[in-house]
Amino acid sequence: MMGVWFLAAATGDAIGAQLPRLDAVIGQSLNFLWQGALVIAAGAVMAFFTRRLRLLTGEAPAPAA
């Protein structure tokens, strides 16, 4: 599990290091625009699955059937 943790961190660092290279291709403002849209979409997906994750982790009581 620690290997997966470090792999995720290394992948994030590698992606983060490559993103500034897009400035030369698509421009800085468009680069920040799509990154912001991606973050908002990821936040919406996480908010959508919050209830399910709480049920899976045992933090919320199961709904009555």
Side-chain angles (χ1 to χ4, degrees):
M1 202 55 168
M2 284 300 294
V4 173
W5 178 272
F6 287 124
L7 184 62
T11 303
D13 287 343
I15 292 171
Q18 298 301 318
L19 286 178
R21 296 176 68 189
L22 283 176
D23 286 349
V25 178
I26 62 174
Q28 187 176 24
S29 54
L30 187 58
N31 192 6
F32 279 109
L33 180 67
W34 81 264
Q35 287 180 38
L38 184 66
V39 168
I40 290 170
V45 168
M46 286 189 267
F48 182 73
F49 285 108
T50 299
R51 183 178 179 137
R52 176 76 176 144
L53 287 173
R54 285 191 179 174
L55 287 173
L56 288 172
T57 59
E59 290 184 24

